[in-house]
Amino acid sequence: MDWADAMQLEQVAPDAFRTTIGEEWSSLQGAHGGVVAALAMTAASRVVSELGVDPTTTVRAATFGYARGNTVGDLHLDVDVVRQGRSLVTTHVRASQGGRTTTVARLHHSTPWDGAEFSDAPPPPARPEGTVRLEWPGPAHLNNVETHLHPDTLAFAGAPRAEWIAWSRPLQSGSFDTAWLAMFGDYFPPAVFTRGTGPSRAVTIEYSIQFHSADGGWELDDDEHLTARMHAFHAHEGFAVEDGWIWLPDGTLLATTRQTRLAG
């Protein structure tokens, strides 16, 4: 799997693109929603860059609503610039297959701002001995990231908490950007799988990610990994809410996520 190839877009109009999702991005149901999010972000970022915005403009927050399942194959992306201000640009992206909307996205692109600096976020968990390399026969998208799971967060283990704790890095190099992070924020199977003892339905209907750095691109050394914690803290009447934290190797909080899943 080559990430640059996966993000290739053909521009068919000033605000429209098409691409093809390969079999390597098949997921539990259809195509992986995270790679669709990454493609939508890539399309929106290209349109924004063509507006002549400040070159320090990057995506700082995005929300993706999955109206219906995406499938492996052709994907069309339409980008709408909702508003272009002096520092903040808001875009919408509609992803469709066969003329039917599959995913709708709202993204906020911005230059860095001056403001308060503090964090009450939890620190990253320490990596213990005995982490387990994630290698599943399927879904295929799980094999597109190098991931080592905490030994206490394994699928269908009946754990007391519904959470994944893991250490991950891009498969082919240490370089990654906001689009890769958008994919990675939706990379893990539903966290409710760690609490259960067998497969159950857990389909994402909304996924949000916030980027806490304006850098837009990062580089990991050969022995470095991102730390990720994905915790489904509440489930009721068939819906579960899952929060995620992604840290750089030095402990800096890089991104946070929230997903609403059908979980029943």
Side-chain angles (χ1 to χ4, degrees):
M1 188 285 301
D2 185 90
W3 178 250
D5 287 347
M7 291 296 102
Q8 287 294 317
L9 297 174
E10 178 187 359
Q11 191 162 6
V12 296
D15 56 359
F17 303 82
R18 63 186 176 198
T19 188
T20 300
I21 303 173
E23 290 284 350
E24 68 273 16
W25 290 103
S26 61
S27 191
L28 290 168
Q29 297 186 42
H32 178 226
V35 80
V36 175
L39 287 163
M41 186 173 293
T42 300
S45 296
R46 281 181 57 175
V47 170
V48 169
S49 69
E50 292 169 1
L51 298 174
V53 297
D54 188 302
T56 63
T57 300
T58 58
V59 178
R60 301 307 302 267
T63 297
F64 306 90
Y66 298 102
R68 58 170 53 87
N70 293 279
T71 59
V72 168
D74 293 341
L75 183 75
H76 191 87
L77 298 159
D78 291 293
V79 181
D80 176 31
V81 178
V82 177
R83 180 182 182 273
Q84 180 183 0
R86 286 178 294 177
S87 299
L88 183 69
V89 181
T90 299
T91 59
H92 285 172
V93 182
R94 181 176 74 93
S96 60
Q97 294 184 302
R100 302 172 67 191
T101 300
T102 62
T103 305
V104 290
R106 180 179 68 253
L107 303 96
H108 300 289
H109 316 248
S110 181
T111 58
W113 292 65
D114 292 328
E117 297 277 348
F118 68 92
S119 179
D120 293 329
R127 183 172 178 175
E129 296 291 333
T131 56
V132 180
R133 176 70 185 266
L134 178 59
E135 293 179 302
W136 282 8
H141 85 270
L142 291 175
N143 298 313
N144 294 336
V145 176
E146 179 189 324
T147 291
H148 304 262
L149 294 174
H150 192 291
D152 293 339
T153 61
L154 302 177
F156 313 129
R161 289 170 63 89
E163 73 176 348
W164 297 104
I165 299 175
W167 292 265
S168 301
R169 58 181 287 116
L171 193 61
Q172 295 178 321
S173 76
S175 300
F176 63 98
D177 59 8
T178 50
W180 188 91
L181 269 180
M183 177 280 297
F184 181 64
D186 185 47
Y187 161 78
F188 292 90
V192 294
F193 283 6
T194 66
R195 187 181 177 106
T197 56
S200 62
R201 183 175 68 168
V203 180
T204 299
I205 58 174
E206 185 169 273
Y207 161 49
S208 298
I209 184 166
Q210 303 80 39
F211 302 97
H212 304 298
S213 168
D215 289 347
W218 300 268
E219 182 78 31
L220 299 173
D221 291 339
D222 290 346
D223 60 346
E224 290 184 325
H225 294 76
L226 300 171
T227 302
R229 178 186 177 208
M230 306 293 171
H231 177 211
F233 63 91
H234 183 78
H236 182 64
E237 294 183 345
F239 290 86
V241 180
E242 180 177 314
D243 280 353
W245 299 262
I246 302 169
W247 295 269
L248 287 167
D250 65 1
T252 300
L253 184 64
L254 180 58
T256 47
T257 67
R258 171 161 284 192
Q259 298 205 38
T260 303
R261 299 190 191 263
L262 288 174

